[in-house]
Amino acid sequence: MTKTTNATADWRMTMPEEWTVKQLAEDGSEVEIPLREHPALRDYKTKDEAVKALVHAQRMLGKTPEGYVRMPGKDDGPEQVAAFYAALGRPEAPDGYALPEIDLPDGFEVQEAMLEGFRSIAFDLGLTPEQVAGLYQWFLPLVLDTHAGLEAEARQLKDSELESLRAVHRGETPRMLDNALRTAEVLGGKDLLHALDQTRAGDRAAVIAAFAKMAPLVLESGMRTSGSGWGEELSREKLREMMQDPRYHDPLKRDPEFVAKIRKGFEQLYPGDYIPGSRL
């Protein structure tokens, strides 16, 4: 009895060797191989299985398989693009995206205009609700962490600049800072102080030192006046001297008219919301 080999048992070996087909080689070139050696036939155990698969493939030609979504081409219009995005799961409008709740630090609030812009861009890109929610949940904490890092860096810079001023001016640092602040306020008012805060220029030692150097001209020579009702030269030194008077600092001997005179002197010497003794 003759033993059957794998070659003779393989139905593909019954196919004539002269039946050939084009096939891509590993190097990308096209070669001609016997049909019975084609890799696609290895998945079928018998000839009947291969024939049935061929008939089924022929029946499916021209039909759209279940779950198939055709990607729009460059010649397709907005309607075809919208249909494509809708098939992928995009909502009908930007407000159809539901964003997850995220705990925000105290003092933080996400502006509604930013959320509307976020939804609008996501809609234009054809993102699904799941993609938008995931992106938002990743992006917002990243923004908060970045902001916290910038704030910490700004505080560190401010402390470093202040320490450099203390190293130079020692015990005179508070008075120098006060002079710089009042000079800036006299020169530019609240608008200048706001600009210095917003740009953080007011935290820089060089800026503070520059305003402090202008203080003798602005706060003393420039603002020094005879003072209506004073009858004497008005100056910071004079006000300091008067604040040592018991009529000002002693509760038992306090004189309201004398106190009012000192307050009026500060108001004339330092225009703005200034409280005597708060910075001197």
Side-chain angles (χ1 to χ4, degrees):
M1 187 175 189
T2 305
K3 185 177 180 180
T4 304
T5 64
N6 290 337
T8 57
D10 191 338
W11 67 270
R12 292 175 299 171
M13 296 297 103
T14 63
M15 302 174 66
E17 187 175 358
E18 58 270 19
W19 290 3
T20 60
V21 64
K22 300 291 185 179
Q23 172 73 1
L24 289 179
E26 294 182 358
D27 59 1
S29 62
E30 191 176 55
V31 297
E32 193 169 354
I33 63 173
L35 178 60
R36 63 188 182 185
E37 296 180 8
H38 197 281
L41 297 179
R42 297 175 185 170
D43 298 331
Y44 305 104
K45 296 180 180 179
T46 65
K47 184 184 298 183
D48 291 345
E49 286 186 10
V51 172
K52 288 179 181 179
L54 175 63
V55 173
H56 179 72
Q58 290 290 335
R59 292 177 57 191
M60 293 300 297
L61 290 177
K63 295 184 178 181
T64 302
E66 183 179 356
Y68 172 81
V69 179
R70 187 182 72 84
M71 186 173 181
K74 60 180 181 179
D75 297 329
D76 289 322
E79 294 183 358
Q80 287 78 13
V81 174
F84 172 71
Y85 287 150
L88 294 180
R90 187 184 74 171
E92 296 181 357
D95 57 10
Y97 291 115
L99 301 178
E101 292 289 338
I102 296 179
D103 293 333
L104 300 177
D106 294 338
F108 283 85
E109 181 180 357
V110 181
Q111 298 180 356
E112 188 60 33
M114 190 210 78
L115 296 180
E116 291 179 0
F118 181 78
R119 289 189 177 98
S120 179
I121 293 298
F123 185 81
D124 291 341
L125 293 174
L127 302 184
T128 66
E130 292 77 13
Q131 290 171 331
V132 172
L135 186 62
Y136 179 78
Q137 205 162 12
W138 166 81
F139 181 71
L140 186 57
L142 179 64
V143 172
L144 295 175
D145 289 344
T146 301
H147 182 272
L150 292 175
E151 287 294 312
E153 183 178 342
R155 287 194 299 270
Q156 184 177 4
L157 174 62
K158 182 176 182 178
D159 293 342
S160 175
E161 294 287 294
L162 182 59
E163 191 60 34
S164 67
L165 290 174
R166 289 193 180 116
V168 175
H169 300 280
R170 305 292 182 180
E172 289 295 306
T173 302
R175 184 179 66 83
M176 191 269 288
L177 293 173
D178 181 54
N179 287 343
L181 175 63
R182 291 301 158 190
T183 300
E185 186 174 11
V186 170
L187 291 175
K190 299 298 182 184
D191 290 341
L192 178 57
L193 296 183
H194 180 70
L196 291 173
D197 288 339
Q198 289 295 103
T199 61
R200 301 190 187 277
D203 295 340
R204 304 305 295 260
V207 175
I208 296 173
F211 279 113
K213 289 178 180 178
M214 290 187 284
L217 297 175
V218 176
L219 299 182
E220 295 180 16
S221 300
M223 298 304 297
R224 184 173 292 163
T225 175
S226 60
S228 176
W230 275 77
E232 57 185 306
E233 186 180 48
L234 175 62
S235 67
R236 182 179 60 190
E237 288 74 16
K238 181 62 179 178
L239 291 173
R240 277 181 165 179
E241 181 181 342
M242 292 178 67
M243 290 174 66
Q244 304 304 316
D245 193 298
R247 288 176 295 174
Y248 178 84
H249 70 80
D250 190 338
L252 298 179
K253 299 179 181 180
R254 194 172 182 85
D255 183 349
E257 293 185 2
F258 188 78
V259 173
K261 184 177 181 180
I262 294 177
R263 180 176 292 274
K264 184 177 180 181
F266 275 109
E267 291 175 352
Q268 292 183 8
L269 191 59
Y270 301 108
D273 300 329
Y274 187 79
I275 301 175
S278 63
R279 291 184 177 273
L280 288 179

